[in-house]
Amino acid sequence: MSLHVAPGTLVVFADIGCPWAHLAVYRLHTVRAALGLGERVRFDIRAFPLELINEMSTPKLILEAETPVVGALEPEAGWQLWQRPDHTYPVSTLLAMEAVEAAKEQGLSASETLDRALRVALFGQSRTVTMRHEILAVARECGVDAEELKRALVRGSARAAVEEQLAVSLSDAVQGSPHVFAPGGLDAHNPGVERHWLGEMGTGFPVVDRDEPGPVPPTGSSRWAASRRWCGVPVAVAPRRPPRQEAHSGTMIMPKSSALCTTSCS
């Protein structure tokens, strides 16, 4: 399966509850701003819904192991371990991803703004983004029309789009959360970062083997895909991984036949 990416757009498959995706999205926003291309390049954020793929919520223990490691790579992205009572922890991010899709009725700018704000709300502010009222509060705070967003959620059309994105996520086209696609067939899964997991999931922790955000072209550059890198991430096509025996990565993606997760989110 091939993905069409419109000129001036990056398509990003990601779960809002994935810390590696929080890192990648932060870098995309940061470098786009540094290049002064905020009005020329848009991010089309699409759902990689881990809870539907795994048929379970992502264990908090795994995220607590990943968050300090990933957060150390970009401390300014907004991070903290969960600070509120455990019973308020968001066991689902499906409605949040649906809201990001629904916000596209207001334009890709509104959608990408809400997506970034929801990631900060979860990872940096310990907010329960499972709840609709919290999602709408985040929308108001980041300048997205919350009433229009609520109407779109009530209509429910975005859920169908998320289901379509789930089908793509399960295909060989998408390798995990995050996976970035650029025009011309360029793409990168967990761009710029290589890691391995030390020990068992839930008791061990991830180790970053390589982190290469990439060179930033001079501000004002007219070629946003210069040097086959953009937004701090390499986007040259890499050889495809073999068919998923263990899983295509994303926090907690596992084969349907397995009762335990076998890989983490990047």
Side-chain angles (χ1 to χ4, degrees):
M1 179 185 294
S2 60
L3 295 177
H4 172 71
V5 181
T9 305
L10 291 182
V11 170
V12 184
F13 278 82
D15 192 303
I16 282 178
C18 173
W20 304 95
H22 182 33
L23 169 72
V25 167
Y26 170 76
R27 286 177 167 173
L28 290 173
H29 280 268
T30 299
V31 178
R32 181 180 62 178
L35 295 176
L37 296 176
E39 299 302 318
R40 296 180 54 194
V41 178
R42 294 267 73 92
F43 306 141
D44 184 353
I45 309 296
R46 301 182 188 179
F48 190 93
L50 290 163
E51 65 203 69
L52 298 183
I53 293 168
N54 290 326
E55 298 183 347
M56 64 183 293
S57 60
T58 302
K60 185 169 177 282
L61 281 175
I62 290 179
L63 293 178
E64 287 178 339
E66 290 182 321
T67 296
V69 174
V70 185
L73 301 179
E74 292 286 358
E76 298 302 317
W79 306 91
Q80 60 179 217
L81 294 180
W82 188 254
Q83 298 298 303
R84 300 189 183 187
D86 284 347
H87 71 269
T88 66
Y89 186 78
V91 297
S92 171
T93 57
L94 186 58
L95 184 60
M97 287 184 283
E98 183 180 345
V100 169
E101 184 64 28
K104 291 177 184 178
E105 293 186 7
Q106 302 179 44
L108 283 182
S109 178
S111 175
E112 67 181 43
T113 296
L114 179 61
D115 173 81
R116 168 76 181 130
L118 286 169
R119 295 178 193 278
V120 172
L122 172 58
F123 287 106
Q125 300 169 348
S126 298
R127 297 170 70 172
T128 310
V129 297
T130 295
M131 307 301 294
R132 189 175 74 177
H133 70 273
E134 193 73 75
I135 292 170
L136 295 176
V138 172
R140 292 186 192 95
E141 292 163 15
C142 71
V144 172
D145 188 327
E147 294 308 312
E148 179 59 33
L149 178 62
K150 182 178 180 180
R151 287 191 288 270
L153 289 173
V154 169
R155 288 194 302 272
S157 59
R159 177 58 61 90
V162 169
E163 290 290 341
E164 292 173 0
Q165 292 161 10
L166 168 63
V168 179
S169 297
L170 288 169
S171 75
D172 288 336
V174 184
Q175 297 300 306
S177 173
H179 198 147
V180 182
F181 296 83
L186 305 178
D187 72 286
H189 169 228
N190 202 26
V193 179
E194 292 179 1
R195 63 97 187 99
H196 70 277
W197 194 273
L198 187 64
E200 296 294 327
M201 291 268 180
T203 58
F205 53 90
V207 176
V208 175
D209 302 306
R210 179 181 66 89
D211 179 37
E212 296 181 359
V216 179
T219 301
S221 169
S222 62
R223 292 177 57 84
W224 66 270
S227 302
R228 296 170 73 85
R229 288 175 178 259
W230 191 76
C231 285
V233 298
V235 293
V237 174
R240 288 292 183 198
R241 296 182 177 183
R244 300 195 261 302
Q245 298 298 320
E246 291 188 350
H248 63 299
S249 338
T251 300
M252 267 284 309
I253 301 188
M254 59 185 179
K256 295 294 183 184
S257 60
S258 173
L260 297 173
C261 67
T262 58
T263 182
S264 74
C265 114
S266 81

